[in-house]
Amino acid sequence: QQQVKQSPQSLIVQKGGIPIINCAYENTAFDYFPWYQQFPGKGPALLIAIRPDVSEKKEGRFTISFNKSAKQFSLHIMDSQPGDSATYFCAASPMNSGNTPLVFGKGTRLSVIA
Amino acid sequence: DGGITQSPKYLFRKEGQNVTLSCEQNLNHDAMYWYRQDPGQGLRLIYYSQIVNDFQKGDIAEGYSVSREKKESFPLTVTSAQKNPTAFYLCASSMGTSGTEQYFGPGTRLTVT
C-alpha cells in the first residue's frame, strides 16, 4: 500500500528524444507527487510536483502527466539533452493526513546520448 | 544563503567504531529526515523528526541513532551494530512531513573498512 513502483530502471535516449518515466501507486490517500533529479555524488533536487486536481503540469521541458483513475503518473522530458543525464525519482505522500513522509520509487537512470 | 549542509562530504572509519554525520538547515523547517542510498536501491528512510526532541524510525533504523535537540540540527550516528554501514547518506528537511516540498543536502559518503 505504501509502495511507489517506478519503471524503467534505466533508459537510454538520443539527444532530442522524449524519455518517459512511469510511476504507479496503490494508496489512494496519496495526493502529492513530486519528481526529483539527482546527479552523481549530489543530493536529489526537486524538479516538478503535481497534485491530483490537474492531469498535467509543465515546467520548461519537464511535464508530469497524472492519471488518477489508473493511479499512475509519469515524467516526460521534451527535447532531451546530454545534461539531463541523471537519476530521476518519483515520490508520493498524502496531504494533511497525519505525518507520512514521502515514499520514493527506486529511481530511473537516464542517459541522453549525443 | 539558505539551505542544508552536511559534513563532511567523505568520511572513513574502521569497523567497530561509531561515527556521527552532521546535518544543519537554516530554512526554518520543522521536519528533518535521514536517508541511505546504495547503488540501485533508491532512497531508504532511516529516521525522521517532525519537531524538536521527537523522532520516528523509518524503514531501516536498526544500527542507527539520532537526536533533535535543536530545530536546525539532526545528527545521525552510525553505530557499530549497523552491519553494512558503507553508503551515501542524505539529509533532508521540509516545512511539514506530509505533502510539502522536501529539500536535500549534498550528502556524506561513508566508507567503513
Side-chain angles (χ1 to χ4, degrees):
Chain A
Q1 269 270 321
Q2 284 293 91
Q3 282 187 330
V4 175
K5 293 183 179 177
Q6 184 172 347
S7 63
Q9 251 185 326
S10 62
L11 189 54
I12 301 174
V13 299
Q14 295 275 356
K15 178 182 171 182
I18 304 176
I20 301 172
I21 304 169
N22 300 298
C23 287
Y25 63 97
E26 290 294 324
N27 189 344
T28 54
F30 286 159
D31 54 6
Y32 171 67
F33 305 93
W35 284 90
Y36 285 81
Q37 179 189 57
Q38 184 182 30
F39 294 105
K42 307 289 186 186
L46 180 63
L47 194 59
I48 185 173
I50 197 167
R51 300 205 158 110
D53 51 342
V54 296
S55 59
E56 187 176 276
K57 183 174 181 181
K58 290 183 182 181
E59 282 187 12
R61 295 184 294 108
F62 300 92
T63 300
I64 300 180
S65 298
F66 184 80
N67 185 331
K68 189 172 182 177
S69 61
K71 290 183 282 186
Q72 294 175 349
F73 58 109
S74 58
L75 177 70
H76 302 230
I77 306 175
M78 305 302 176
D79 187 28
S80 59
Q81 301 296 315
D84 296 328
S85 298
T87 299
Y88 293 82
F89 294 96
C90 63
S93 85
M95 289 278 289
N96 305 319
S97 60
N99 295 298
T100 306
L102 284 173
V103 178
F104 283 89
K106 289 191 180 295
T108 295
R109 192 166 181 175
L110 171 67
S111 297
V112 180
I113 52 178
Chain B
D1 220 9
I4 303 173
T5 55
Q6 291 185 245
S7 60
K9 190 170 176 62
Y10 300 96
L11 193 52
F12 299 88
R13 280 294 182 270
K14 294 289 186 187
E15 203 173 306
Q17 292 179 334
N18 291 356
V19 58
T20 297
L21 280 59
S22 165
C23 177
E24 304 277 330
Q25 54 99 1
N26 61 4
L27 300 167
N28 199 32
H29 284 171
D30 291 315
M32 296 186 74
Y33 313 80
W34 274 105
Y35 293 88
R36 171 183 172 136
Q37 189 172 31
D38 298 281
Q41 292 283 332
L43 301 165
R44 293 188 288 170
L45 183 64
I46 304 173
Y47 269 99
Y48 65 103
S49 167
Q50 295 155 220
I51 55 171
V52 173
N53 293 323
D54 189 39
F55 45 83
Q56 286 76 41
K57 291 182 179 180
D59 301 317
I60 56 164
E62 187 174 343
Y64 299 97
S65 66
V66 292
S67 63
R68 187 90 186 273
E69 296 175 4
K70 298 185 294 181
K71 186 175 184 178
E72 58 270 23
S73 178
F74 191 41
L76 172 76
T77 297
V78 184
T79 75
S80 56
Q82 168 50 233
K83 299 295 179 205
N84 200 11
T86 294
F88 189 48
Y89 289 88
L90 288 157
C91 178
S93 71
S94 64
M95 280 301 295
T97 314
S98 295
T100 57
E101 295 179 357
Q102 191 170 122
Y103 297 91
F104 284 84
T108 291
R109 186 166 298 280
L110 173 65
T111 303
V112 177
T113 57

